[in-house]
Amino acid sequence: MKVFNKIVDLQNALFLARKQGKKIGLVPTMGALHEGHASLITKSIGENDITVVSVFLNPTQFNDQSDFDRYPRTLEADSRLVEACGADYIFAPSVKDIYPCPDTRHFEFPPVTTVMEGERRPGHFNGVCQVVSRLFYIVRPDSAYFGEKDWQQIAVVKQLAKYINSNVRIVECPIIRDPDGLAKSSRNSLLTKEERAIAPAIYQILRESVGYAETHSLKETRNMVVERINAIPELEVEYFEIVDGDSLLPVENWERSEYIVGCITVYCGKTPIRLIDHIRYKDRKNKRR
């Protein structure tokens, strides 16, 4: 495995690989890697000849400076994980390399960039689009791999790929969870021992809500989830939206769509740490899950 910090060095290596007809996979990350990232890397390795893992903490997608400041930075440990997975290259550029001058581009793809996370984190998805478009330009991957935990982000990236006329294939990979159900996240390392013990209740309640939804209205289901989570000390729901899985717009009842997803963000602890998750209520075959 090789680590590249400079764009030109990575591009030279990829030029040779591409000249030999090799397929290139990209796993974009912000570092603080875990088993969820490892699953993306493994997926890419299985489908491509060369796998590039980018490790870049992107400042333009943080609307809260304190969130950016305390985000884990663990490049040495990240490198060990990437090497253990068997990836070929790590791309760990500086901010100056990615943004040699201020990025003034503005990306907006309503409604997917304007609801839920987009509404509550102004500028977040614009920053995501800025860095992903740069990575697509630099790496020119055949496929790029994203985890379903950031479910709304995948919808945004798909719109971005269309907008910039990129032929990259966007590959969605399942959420990886701890045995107690908590979705793997780089932010989990910021939880105290007590907070970590409480956080799995989020997914447990989401799972229970699937059965509850069989005999209750959409509004009742939403209220149940919010009330149950808010009743737990150290947890506070920022939002829980039940939406159409394609448009990401809220639905009024279970009959309005054949693909319905519940998306949640919860603050955990006194700091607090912002945790996201989601659950599918209906799939495209119009069956409850």
Side-chain angles (χ1 to χ4, degrees), residues 90-122:
I90 286 180
F91 178 45
S94 68
V95 173
K96 187 176 181 180
D97 286 317
I98 293 295
Y99 302 117
C101 57
D103 195 333
T104 59
R105 295 174 300 161
H106 184 71
F107 299 92
E108 198 73 83
F109 310 115
V112 297
T113 55
T114 57
V115 298
M116 295 186 293
E117 292 293 288
E119 179 182 356
R120 292 162 179 85
R121 299 179 68 187

Side-chain angles (χ1 to χ4, degrees), residues 132-152:
V132 170
S133 62
R134 285 286 289 148
L135 290 171
F136 283 2
Y137 172 77
I138 292 165
V139 178
R140 291 176 55 202
D142 296 282
S143 301
Y145 298 79
F146 296 86
E148 287 184 346
K149 183 182 74 68
D150 297 307
W151 184 76
Q152 186 177 1

Side-chain angles (χ1 to χ4, degrees), residues 9-28:
D9 295 332
L10 174 65
Q11 288 182 322
N12 285 341
L14 293 178
F15 174 79
L16 293 176
R18 202 173 286 110
K19 192 174 181 180
Q20 295 169 3
K22 294 183 178 181
K23 291 175 60 179
I24 297 168
L26 169 67
V27 181

Side-chain angles (χ1 to χ4, degrees), residues 12-280:
N12 285 341
L14 293 178
F15 174 79
L16 293 176
R18 202 173 286 110
K19 192 174 181 180
Q20 295 169 3
K22 294 183 178 181
K23 291 175 60 179
I24 297 168
L26 169 67
V27 181
T29 84
M30 292 206 299
L33 306 186
H34 49 68
E35 291 93 333
H37 296 107
S39 72
L40 307 184
I41 297 169
T42 301
K43 178 74 168 175
S44 176
I45 290 171
E47 296 183 347
N48 300 278
D49 302 299
I50 298 291
T51 289
V52 180
V53 180
S54 65
V55 178
F56 177 69
L57 186 56
N58 177 39
T60 70
Q61 69 188 71
F62 285 82
N63 63 317
D64 182 346
Q65 183 63 40
S66 64
D67 189 23
F68 175 77
D69 291 340
R70 64 183 176 177
Y71 197 92
R73 293 158 169 84
T74 58
L75 181 58
E76 186 175 336
D78 295 343
S79 299
R80 290 196 296 269
L81 183 146
V82 173
E83 186 169 25
C85 288
D88 301 276
Y89 304 139
I90 286 180
F91 178 45
S94 68
V95 173
K96 187 176 181 180
D97 286 317
I98 293 295
Y99 302 117
C101 57
D103 195 333
T104 59
R105 295 174 300 161
H106 184 71
F107 299 92
E108 198 73 83
F109 310 115
V112 297
T113 55
T114 57
V115 298
M116 295 186 293
E117 292 293 288
E119 179 182 356
R120 292 162 179 85
R121 299 179 68 187
H124 168 66
F125 284 129
N126 189 60
V128 168
C129 289
Q130 288 176 343
V131 71
V132 170
S133 62
R134 285 286 289 148
L135 290 171
F136 283 2
Y137 172 77
I138 292 165
V139 178
R140 291 176 55 202
D142 296 282
S143 301
Y145 298 79
F146 296 86
E148 287 184 346
K149 183 182 74 68
D150 297 307
W151 184 76
Q152 186 177 1
Q153 178 176 277
I154 292 175
V156 172
V157 170
K158 286 181 176 179
Q159 291 294 320
L160 170 69
K162 292 179 183 178
Y163 179 75
I164 63 176
N165 291 319
S166 172
N167 292 323
V168 64
R169 180 173 67 105
I170 308 301
V171 182
E172 304 174 40
C173 300
I175 293 176
I176 303 299
R177 299 183 181 275
D178 282 327
D180 57 14
L182 182 64
K184 293 284 187 180
S185 171
S186 300
R187 286 187 170 84
N188 291 354
S189 65
L190 300 175
L191 298 169
T192 66
K193 182 179 179 180
E194 294 74 17
E195 292 164 354
R196 177 60 186 79
I198 294 168
I202 300 167
Y203 185 61
Q204 291 167 8
I205 292 170
L206 287 177
R207 287 290 301 162
E208 292 171 16
S209 76
V210 174
Y212 184 89
E214 295 285 352
T215 55
H216 292 79
S217 70
L218 188 149
K219 182 178 180 180
E220 290 171 331
T221 301
R222 181 187 179 280
N223 290 342
M224 183 277 280
V225 169
V226 173
E227 290 169 6
R228 287 277 307 279
I229 292 177
N230 283 345
I232 299 172
E234 306 295 337
L235 295 183
E236 182 181 356
V237 175
E238 181 183 21
Y239 69 84
F240 177 52
E241 299 287 350
I242 300 178
V243 302
D244 178 272
D246 293 314
S247 72
L248 275 62
L249 292 173
V251 291
E252 298 176 358
N253 58 63
W254 300 121
E255 288 68 44
R256 284 299 179 96
S257 173
E258 64 178 16
Y259 180 25
I260 297 180
V261 181
C263 302
I264 197 164
T265 295
V266 179
Y267 289 111
C268 180
K270 294 184 173 64
T271 309
I273 307 303
R274 195 172 186 269
L275 304 176
I276 64 173
D277 210 333
H278 70 273
I279 195 85
R280 284 180 172 85

